[in-house]
Amino acid sequence: MKIKKDRVKIITLGCSKNLVDSEFIMSQLSAGDIQLVENEKDADSVLINTCGFIESAKQESIDTIIRAVKLKKERKLKNVFVAGCLSDRYKDELEKEIPEVDKYFGATDKKKTVIDILNEFGVNYKLDLLGERILTTPSHFSYLKISEGCNNPCSFCAIPIMRGKHVSKPMEQILMEAQSLASKGVKELIVIGQDTTYWGFDMTNKRDISVLLGELTKIKGFEWIRLMYAYPSRFPVDLIDTIKNNESMCKYLDMPIQHISDNVLKSMRRGITKKTTMNLLETIRKEIPGIAMRTTLITGYPDETEKDFEEMLTLVKEYKFDRLGVFTYSHEDDTHAKLLPDRIPYKEKLHRQKLLLDAQRENSIESNRESVGKTFKVLIDRHEDNGTPQGQFVGRTYKDAPEIDQEVYISIPSDIDPNEVGFNGEHEIPSQTFQKHPGLITPAEMVMNMKDVRPGNFYDVKINDFEEFDLFGEMA
């Protein structure tokens, strides 16, 4: 029996790639007259888009499913549906352990999964909505997924098992979707995929990510285009010039290297050596002045010796990545590394993780200290309460991706009333304000600046203070 005109809440867990999938499903449901709601309390049905990447993500997904099933038992929900990576990978087990879920959907065959989900709500798949999404991010930035799946044989990773082989989204489809995002007012486009630097290879036998980015830079409206998930092995060197020479390309690169020891890299099946990795990292820094380099590392891998770890710690201290994430290794079912004995105690893994993060903290403090007195172009993400009547604005520099990197906090002078300065552009600023701030800014400039300060806009911000992972500033 089909469910029609349901009120549906979609819960998205895991990465930004999952978020894009949910946004696409939401547009299809909405076009079929299904009401999307923000709160589970207002919903008839819940669709949980799960993550199954690492143990903590799996547990979060399971906890969310159990919570939704409890609401169903209490008759606060009619239906609970589960999709995404965890559902795809452990469908049989989940059906046995949590049979109260009405239906589990896969993740590998994206179109089939979407059609199956829509069918449950009595909605037909609409081809004319190809690329259309209901954005759940702030309206000024959005993710653009350019591929599905992954061809890399990394020993620790189950992504190819869950998502299948790499499939590049055709350029015309990507550009159409990007154009739609620009028309909605998106100013920062964040390009994502399991391995973005592989894009095009399955279609042309060439890594054409630079060609694609070049086309994206031609679309009017994007002030920042940010590239994530660039795989270091067989890195397309023409990408360096693309980032360097296009004004709208953020001088930022997310490249998860995972480790630096040859011993571990080989066991991880990363297809790259320490020497090649270091040459690449140093070349990127040399060729693109001011580039912000982000990476992720894994510590506690089964074959990681004390010497291997020390090599990685030395890398963090000497290369000084601008942004860094560190994961502790955990066995993933059906992966090559699962065959290796997980000999490093969890406590030791946490200790090594802490040492890496402590080293990165020192790097960040040093970098942030050097930022004081400098002026950066900042994209304002939000206005928030900081305990003062005026509150503060929070934004990011080109060095920072949303949700994972550091932020810039911009205070409003305590003797300026936000109701008087009128962020909606409707009020004049009283002249006494300028008497209290002599020499800082002319009345005309202040009126212009304060009226225009709102999330989604770019401003020049002078940094005047810092913490280990955040900056503080004022409008320049």
Side-chain angles (χ1 to χ4, degrees):
M1 180 177 174
K2 303 300 181 186
I3 306 161
K4 294 187 178 180
K5 311 307 178 190
D6 241 3
R7 294 172 300 174
V8 179
K9 164 65 177 175
I10 295 184
I11 301 173
T12 305
L13 304 173
C15 66
S16 54
K17 295 177 281 290
N18 256 14
L19 183 68
V20 171
D21 293 341
S22 291
E23 291 177 343
F24 177 66
I25 293 170
M26 290 170 69
S27 73
Q28 292 276 342
L29 289 173
S30 181
D33 294 328
I34 298 295
Q35 183 182 354
L36 301 169
V37 297
E38 293 289 329
N39 198 308
E40 294 165 43
K41 295 178 181 178
D42 302 321
D44 298 307
S45 299
V46 164
L47 172 64
I48 304 168
N49 193 357
T50 60
C51 177
F53 181 48
I54 56 177
E55 195 60 40
S56 59
K58 292 180 201 172
Q59 191 58 53
E60 181 187 19
S61 294
I62 291 169
D63 291 345
T64 304
I65 295 169
I66 291 173
R67 180 166 53 84
V69 163
K70 182 175 182 291
L71 291 174
K72 181 183 176 182
K73 289 179 178 177
E74 295 170 354
R75 302 197 175 187
K76 295 176 182 177
L77 282 174
K78 288 196 303 182
N79 303 282
V80 176
F81 301 107
V82 178
C85 293
L86 188 80
S87 177
D88 186 272
R89 192 177 180 195
Y90 298 105
K91 185 172 181 289
D92 293 342
E93 293 93 328
L94 288 168
E95 286 176 338
K96 291 177 183 177
E97 295 295 326
I98 317 178
E100 297 87 353
V101 170
D102 293 271
K103 191 163 185 177
Y104 290 93
F105 301 95
T108 306
D109 188 336
K110 189 62 58 186
K111 184 175 179 180
K112 181 181 183 302
T113 298
V114 173
I115 290 173
D116 288 347
I117 291 171
L118 296 177
N119 285 342
E120 288 298 320
F121 295 98
V123 173
N124 293 322
Y125 183 86
K126 294 177 175 59
L127 280 172
D128 58 344
L129 286 178
L130 192 65
E132 282 295 318
R133 292 148 50 193
I134 292 179
L135 299 185
T136 56
T137 55
S139 60
H140 56 276
F141 74 80
S142 181
Y143 299 96
L144 179 67
K145 185 160 66 166
I146 63 172
S147 62
E148 297 285 353
C150 184
N151 279 18
N152 296 307
C154 303
S155 66
F156 55 85
C157 183
I159 292 296
I161 300 169
M162 294 183 285
R163 293 283 183 170
K165 292 288 187 181
H166 178 101
V167 179
S168 298
K169 188 182 292 184
M171 181 181 288
E172 60 272 18
Q173 187 176 333
I174 293 174
L175 297 180
M176 180 177 65
E177 187 174 340
Q179 187 65 63
S180 173
L181 293 172
S183 69
K184 293 177 181 178
V186 171
K187 296 178 182 179
E188 179 184 12
L189 190 70
I190 306 167
V191 179
I192 59 173
Q194 300 299 340
D195 175 5
T196 54
T197 45
Y198 195 91
W199 185 87
F201 193 81
D202 53 320
M203 299 185 296
T204 65
N205 212 34
K206 292 192 300 182
R207 293 169 182 261
D208 285 331
I209 183 64
S210 291
V211 177
L212 175 61
L213 292 173
E215 291 300 313
L216 289 173
T217 62
K218 297 176 184 177
I219 296 176
K220 293 182 179 179
F222 300 136
E223 293 196 44
W224 281 354
I225 299 176
R226 189 183 300 277
L227 184 64
M228 310 293 290
Y229 310 113
Y231 199 81
S233 179
R234 296 174 293 280
F235 182 86
V237 291
D238 58 343
L239 182 56
I240 293 176
D241 284 338
T242 299
I243 296 175
K244 179 180 180 179
N245 298 326
N246 285 279
E247 186 177 349
S248 58
M249 286 297 303
C250 280
K251 303 304 181 280
Y252 175 104
L253 186 62
D254 170 54
M255 180 186 290
I257 65 169
Q258 309 301 7
H259 217 285
I260 198 61
S261 160
D262 280 329
N263 173 53
V264 178
L265 288 172
K266 183 178 180 180
S267 183
M268 283 183 167
R269 305 166 81 179
R270 292 288 287 172
I272 196 169
T273 63
K274 175 179 181 178
K275 181 179 179 180
T276 305
T277 302
M278 291 308 305
N279 286 343
L280 177 59
L281 292 174
E282 289 164 4
T283 297
I284 291 171
R285 277 254 174 96
K286 177 183 176 183
E287 295 296 325
I288 312 175
I291 190 167
M293 290 295 293
R294 158 173 264 281
T295 197
T296 52
L297 301 172
I298 296 174
T299 189
Y301 183 81
D303 285 339
E304 182 184 83
T305 65
E306 287 282 355
K307 180 178 179 296
D308 296 326
F309 173 73
E310 287 299 327
E311 285 186 55
M312 187 159 56
L313 183 58
T314 298
L315 169 71
V316 173
K317 291 179 178 179
E318 294 184 354
Y319 186 77
K320 300 182 187 298
F321 290 98
D322 298 271
R323 307 291 180 255
L324 176 72
V326 182
F327 295 94
T328 56
Y329 172 83
S330 62
H331 270 332
E332 293 299 316
D333 293 336
D334 303 317
T335 60
H336 182 77
K338 181 74 181 289
L339 302 174
L340 302 172
D342 192 6
R343 62 178 184 79
I344 301 176
Y346 182 60
K347 186 176 180 180
E348 175 62 20
K349 293 177 185 178
L350 291 177
H351 175 64
R352 293 181 185 184
Q353 180 188 46
K354 182 178 184 301
L355 290 176
L356 291 168
L357 292 176
D358 284 348
Q360 180 61 20
R361 183 176 294 107
E362 293 303 313
N363 294 340
S364 184
I365 289 172
E366 179 184 338
S367 174
N368 285 352
R369 182 182 293 114
E370 292 174 355
S371 295
V372 173
K374 296 179 180 177
T375 298
F376 292 90
K377 180 180 178 181
V378 171
L379 175 58
I380 302 296
D381 282 328
R382 65 188 183 276
H383 177 268
E384 64 178 28
D385 180 11
N386 66 341
T388 68
Q390 294 76 18
Q392 64 187 347
F393 291 103
V394 185
R396 293 173 288 111
T397 72
Y398 76 92
K399 297 183 177 184
D400 303 294
E403 300 178 344
I404 57 173
D405 292 333
Q406 70 177 25
E407 295 179 307
V408 182
Y409 292 86
I410 306 155
S411 298
I412 302 169
S414 60
D415 48 1
I416 295 180
D417 185 341
N419 296 315
E420 289 181 346
V421 300
F423 296 114
N424 60 10
E426 295 178 355
H427 301 87
E428 293 295 328
I429 298 177
S431 60
Q432 60 264 32
T433 296
F434 306 106
Q435 296 170 6
K436 297 176 183 178
H437 299 273
L440 289 181
I441 192 169
T442 67
E445 289 171 333
M446 192 166 189
V447 170
M448 182 183 299
N449 286 349
M450 297 308 287
K451 283 184 177 180
D452 284 344
V453 174
R454 64 192 68 190
N457 287 346
F458 289 88
Y459 303 93
D460 288 334
V461 175
K462 185 176 181 180
I463 305 303
N464 54 28
D465 203 356
F466 69 96
E467 288 182 352
E468 53 190 14
F469 293 118
D470 287 306
L471 296 172
F472 301 86
E474 59 189 15
M475 294 295 170

